[in-house]
Amino acid sequence: GGGSSGSAASGAEGRQGVRAVGVGTEGNDGSGPPILVQVATSDLVLIELPRARPGGKISSELRELLSDDGVTKVFCDSAANRDALSLGLDPGGPGVVNLERLATERFGRPAAARGLARIA
């Protein structure tokens, strides 16, 4: 919830000028927004609970961060791109990266999702 405007975007600035955040969701059953959204940089972790907010929506600050094509949003998402889609993002759009998709392109389709530990 809350937070000062721009805090997530300013936290996305890395030490070498790379603007990227890791994004994950939980409770993503397709019936609305996820229960929990996590956004992480090397220095900061933000957690939002969209369904606990009025109207069940993400904050304006998080919406601003997610819509910024200059910030790369890195997911370790399923082939269905459920995390990215639940946040209103185009999984193939600018500034959106799915590590599972990249691993599949590089190493072939696995029997089950690899997960971040195996990709890293």
Side-chain angles (χ1 to χ4, degrees):
S4 62
S5 180
S7 62
S10 64
E13 186 71 36
R15 288 186 182 91
Q16 291 81 30
V18 175
R19 292 174 35 99
V21 295
V23 183
T25 68
E26 297 295 334
N28 194 351
D29 61 9
S31 67
I35 292 172
L36 179 139
V37 180
Q38 319 167 91
V39 178
T41 70
S42 60
D43 301 316
L44 176 71
V45 175
L46 300 172
I47 296 176
E48 279 201 10
L49 305 170
R51 292 188 191 185
R53 295 179 53 85
K57 297 183 179 181
I58 61 175
S59 69
S60 60
E61 293 89 0
L62 182 54
R63 238 185 344 271
E64 181 181 336
L65 176 71
L66 294 173
S67 67
D68 185 344
D69 290 343
V71 176
T72 301
K73 280 71 68 181
V74 181
F75 292 84
C76 191
D77 208 348
S78 68
N81 297 295
R82 188 175 278 182
D83 287 355
L85 291 170
S86 74
L87 296 172
L89 295 172
D90 174 0
V96 179
V97 175
N98 180 351
L99 296 177
E100 284 285 353
R101 184 178 50 110
L102 292 176
T104 298
E105 291 171 2
R106 171 94 176 162
F107 304 114
R109 183 165 303 281
R114 289 177 176 87
L116 185 57
R118 287 190 175 158
I119 294 172

